[in-house]
Amino acid sequence: MSRFFSGLRDGVGFDILLVGAALLFLLALAGAPLVYNVLMSFQQVDMFTLGALFRPFVGVDNYVAVVQQPEFWLVTRNTLVFVFGSMAGQFVLGFALALFFAQNFPGASTIRGLFLVSWVMPGLVVGGIWSFILAGDYGVLNVILKALGIIDANVFWKSDPNFSIWAVIIANIWLGLAFNMLLLSVGLAAISRDLYEAAELDGANAFQRFWTITMPMMRPTIGAVLSLGLIGTLQQFDLFPALTEGGPANTSNVAGYWSWQLSFQLYDFAKGATVSVMMFLLVLVASVVYVRSTRHEVRG
Amino acid sequence: MTAQIEMRDIQKHYGSFHALKGISLTIDKGSFVALVGPSGCGKSTLLRSIAGLETITSGTLQIAGKTMTGVPPRHRDIAMVFQSYALYPHMTVEENLTYSLRLHGVGKADARQKAAEVAATTGLTSLLGRYPRQLSGGQRQRVAMGRAIIRNPKAFLFDEPLSNLDASLRVQMRKEIRALHDRLGATSVYVTHDQIEAMTMADWVVVMRDGLIEQQGRPLDLYDKPVNRFVAGFIGSPAMNFLPGHIAETGNAVMLADGAGTLPLDRGLQPGREVIVGVRPEHLDVVGDAATFHLEIGVVESTGSATYLTSPDGNFQLVQSERTSLASGDRIGLRIDPTKIHLFDPQSGIAL
């Protein structure tokens, strides 16, 4: 016991305790479910074996079955459209806003702070609000677009197969915009004003300063924002039940939501697990890119 | 001499703060001008105004005969060395050097050739492939200089470029910058708060305070003939001593306050007039009999080459080039050459 307390004082032992607690937490709540999920994707899971850990091993049968599902390619395509559409929208608008608020006009930081509202809001609430905005017959977006003369007839954003995925993308861009802007703002603020002044004296115009100073200096931040954006978009769930439930006819269904449907609506846990393992591999690639991009920081 | 930079009644306001209160200054082509003064005197603001990084509120600024109103920094053709060096961290030394050339469309081979030449002048040849983070403070300083030289600009602006270096490197870089200036025949404006840098490097020193020019002139003229008490106290190290007193009835001597003694003058003034006497620490001689005033010693500091004697209240200091056996508590007799005595008006501080 006295050794334990001396461990508290000199840091030896106590530090191991602290690290151990965190590690245990990670293993129990992230590591074990992950392994269990991967294991399940190689097993035959039905209502009778649901409680067992060791079930009949089926090799890659689940993977083959998932790929052979009629909606697989549609969901894959939707997932790609959703991920790249959301990320592009979040990043481009977020970067534009970050640059705008970096101009330091009066009230810039206050207004920038207000944008965080979208980040604080639960996804289900955001989905609910956008559900009203995007409503085909009474939605405010249609009213605006009609008043501007952009459309003649109402667009049924959520129920038209051509637009349903875009309805979720629009809501998701709004949801992730503040997070992107915030991270990019921090990156911009970290670039010393001296560099811009030196570049200006060296003869660079605003456009050249952006491409030769801002962009290269922002590389680590951009890498982080895009990687986190990819992860955040892949795990986006709340907006789907609130807006389209993946419909109509899976035209707005994506891998994450599909995996949930397979597991918890159809109780086909093996296929649900298989889809999520496929997604996990994608996120793993993104994480490697993220870690590598932060390792190559060139500040200072 | 033709004027390279001409300033007439330049004013700068930051909101309610009046940073520059009417600066008129002519900087000759090929000269090395130092702007010196305490922090907040406006010297950096003036330099940044020349660069165009600050917009002046009123007045005119001309560079090489052209009025610069509304001309952005990139079209002024001047180079600046920043206190932080402001090297581009994501570029190698060579890319840092050639950045401005590349912006101006100079070919890759020409730019490389030019970078090699500049690197040879600044001693960077072996470092061209390195990134700024891999360089020492002195090397970064050289890159910042090289980046300025490579463009052959109309003027070089230096914003306290040596303040981040250690003392010995600072002395060395002082000489290198001056030598470079002479070799290039460039026009240089150098901002510093260190009057020794200003005195040793510049042909022309401009002393500023509170947004105004207090005095400008050749370095030794400022040392010999300061126009007011501020310049007298600012130029010279250790700083000039100031003692209150009044003119004796004869009109050609000063009676020091508290009966500390009498100082004969080489000029006549109105008897009874209150004055502030300024004497430089290095102009005082310790003498036995011929002493005209006396001082009690508080602290004795010796650097080997010189001995610094300070009064117990710390307000009076003198420098002796010989070693002494004096100790704290000793009372010494002092004498000063009448031609080296400065007199100032107690109210206005103006030299009499």
Side-chain angles (χ1 to χ4, degrees), chain B residues 22 36 66 88 113 133 146 168 194 219 227 270 296 311 332:
Chain B
V36 65
K66 288 200 195 77
Y88 310 121
Q113 165 74 19
R133 62 175 180 275
S168 64
D194 180 353
V227 296
Q270 185 199 356
E296 191 187 328
S311 65
I332 52 172

Side-chain angles (χ1 to χ4, degrees), chain B residues 24 100 121 157 191 242 270 296 338:
Chain B
S24 296
S100 62
T121 344
L157 308 180
V191 160
F242 296 105
Q270 185 199 356
E296 191 187 328

Side-chain angles (χ1 to χ4, degrees), chain A residues 122-207:
Chain A
L124 267 176
V125 176
V126 173
I129 292 168
W130 276 98
S131 185
F132 287 127
I133 297 174
L134 296 169
D137 28 22
Y138 59 84
V140 72
L141 183 64
N142 278 341
V143 175
I144 293 171
L145 291 178
K146 264 202 283 196
L148 291 173
I150 295 171
I151 55 169
D152 299 326
N154 283 344
V155 175
F156 285 80
W157 294 96
K158 294 180 292 177
S159 50
D160 185 327
N162 294 318
F163 292 111
S164 55
I165 188 71
W166 292 100
V168 195
I169 290 174
I170 290 170
N172 194 35
I173 288 174
W174 187 86
L175 188 62
L177 192 58
F179 180 67
N180 275 251
M181 181 192 70
L182 193 73
L183 284 189
L184 292 165
S185 282
V186 171
L188 284 177
I191 303 175
S192 157
R193 282 230 63 77
D194 281 2
L195 293 184
Y196 289 109
E197 293 183 344
E200 214 175 333
L201 285 167
D202 271 343
N205 59 32
F207 186 74

